Amino acid sequence: MHSNLKYHVVALLVVIVWGSTFVFTKLLLLSGLSPAHIFTLRFIVAYVLLLAVSLLGHRHRWWATDAKDELLMIGLGVTGGSLYFLSENAAMNYTTTTNTSLIVCLCPLFASLLIWAFYRSERLGTVQVAGSLLAAAGVVLVVLNGQFVLHLSPKGDALAFVACLCWAVYSLLLIPAYKRYDTLFITRKVFAYGLLTMIPYYIVYPDLPPMEALRSPAAIVQLLFLGCIASTACFMAWNWAVSHLGAVVTTNYVYVNPVVTIVCAWMVLSEHITLWFLLGTALILMGLYLADKRPATSGKAAYSLNDKN
């Protein structure tokens, strides 16, 4: 782990930022913006910033090498962009933030299963499996925070589960993408196709963001944070970490998300922190440590389509 310490630190910092977005998104929903508005505005900001970086750095290219790879980029844009954020944000309109956080933050389990099925180099050893399950148990304790009663909402919980599966598929698709393309190109294509695949939604539901919300200084700051930091900087950093640590190890850091969410909710919304939260946090940290212990026969994950069964 020591040789890859900087990548672990980056992945941890990213999920700390992403954990806070649950609270910011909830505040924007309360201000009158819809899930589609929030996603579209933050991705427009992110895409413009990344396009500027590409053009200024003379590293701009519009298309992937071939049609197959362009379809791969569309898949990344849908699973890591439009469908993921729409389902996650919409879930909070029908269920609690607790349910949404719990379901979405269990995506490393699904990601590990998908990647295990496709790539030998990413298969988990016994210690890694134990670490992942330990972290998942910690997530349950953290999110429930001593309140061992879930307020089930079939529609909202189903939407949160769709978001969970989207991120798992996104993690899987990143592996072949990194075989041929750099982080900047992949991340920019995610934002581009995330926005383009929102067009059918706006054809069916043609509404614009309410001007009252966009005139609010608080809402503007929250949107800029989501667009500049949580989207542009964090997607770049996350994809960079995945390219060095592998999809399974990096995705396990998603388990930290609910810890940050609850701390932010405690600071902003005056929610309570209990002993269960502290115990769950300890289990997550222990699980992350064990999940990074690669089997003795495994080397660094090699992102190659030749790994496929």
Side-chain angles (χ1 to χ4, degrees):
M1 179 172 177
H2 295 294
S3 62
N4 291 325
L5 181 60
K6 61 184 178 182
Y7 309 121
H8 287 278
V9 171
V10 166
L12 179 60
L13 290 175
V14 168
V15 296
I16 286 174
V17 174
W18 281 347
S20 69
T21 62
F22 281 95
V23 175
F24 285 108
T25 299
K26 192 72 173 181
L27 292 173
L28 286 169
L29 289 170
L30 293 173
S31 75
L33 293 175
S34 71
H37 295 151
I38 297 169
F39 165 79
T40 303
L41 291 170
R42 70 183 282 185
F43 263 46
I44 287 174
V45 172
Y47 181 76
V48 170
L49 285 176
L50 284 180
L51 183 61
V53 170
S54 298
L55 293 173
L56 291 173
H58 303 289
R59 298 171 58 190
H60 182 67
R61 58 183 295 184
W62 288 109
W63 306 107
T65 303
D66 54 41
K68 181 180 178 181
D69 285 355
E70 199 64 32
L71 286 173
L72 175 63
M73 297 301 163
I74 294 173
L76 287 168
V78 172
T79 57
S82 54
L83 185 56
Y84 171 79
F85 281 100
L86 270 181
S87 55
E88 180 187 79
N89 292 348
M92 287 189 281
N93 276 333
Y94 299 102
T95 189
T96 63
T97 303
T98 296
N99 284 31
T100 304
S101 179
L102 176 59
I103 295 169
V104 172
C105 291
L106 288 176
C107 77
L109 286 176
F110 296 94
S112 297
L113 288 172
L114 275 177
I115 295 168
W116 178 86
F118 279 82
Y119 293 93
R120 286 192 298 271
S121 63
E122 288 280 354
R123 289 184 176 177
L124 304 179
T126 303
V127 175
Q128 287 180 297
V129 171
S132 188
L133 292 175
L134 194 64
V139 165
V140 174
L141 290 181
V142 164
V143 173
L144 295 181
N145 203 21
Q147 304 296 319
F148 294 100
V149 177
L150 283 175
H151 301 285
L152 298 180
S153 170
K155 186 174 183 178
D157 294 343
L159 286 167
F161 187 67
V162 169
C164 173
L165 290 180
C166 279
W167 196 258
V169 174
Y170 176 77
S171 301
L172 176 68
L173 295 180
L174 275 178
I175 296 176
Y178 273 114
K179 178 67 177 176
R180 294 178 288 279
Y181 303 98
D182 61 68
T183 300
L184 179 59
F185 178 76
I186 293 171
T187 309
R188 184 170 54 79
K189 296 295 274 189
V190 168
F191 293 139
Y193 281 119
L195 289 169
L196 287 174
T197 52
M198 279 296 294
I199 293 175
Y201 175 88
Y202 282 111
I203 292 175
V204 178
Y205 303 103
D207 73 312
L208 295 174
M211 293 307 298
E212 303 79 34
L214 296 181
R215 291 193 195 101
S216 165
I220 291 172
V221 170
Q222 290 156 8
L223 284 169
L224 287 175
F225 171 81
L226 291 176
C228 298
I229 306 300
S231 294
T232 307
C234 285
F235 264 81
M236 281 285 293
W238 181 262
N239 291 346
W240 178 69
V242 169
S243 70
H244 290 278
L245 294 177
V248 171
V249 172
T250 310
T251 303
N252 276 334
Y253 276 97
V254 173
Y255 287 131
V256 179
N257 251 337
V259 176
V260 181
T261 300
I262 289 182
V263 170
C264 288
W266 168 67
M267 296 172 62
V268 178
L269 305 175
S270 301
E271 294 188 8
H272 298 293
I273 287 179
T274 68
L275 181 62
W276 293 106
F277 168 83
L278 299 176
L279 177 60
T281 301
L283 290 178
I284 290 171
L285 295 176
M286 190 181 305
L288 287 175
Y289 175 77
L290 293 175
D292 189 45
K293 296 290 185 181
R294 298 193 67 80
T297 56
S298 295
K300 183 180 178 181
Y303 288 158
S304 171
L305 290 175
N306 293 328
D307 273 342
K308 191 171 181 179
N309 288 328

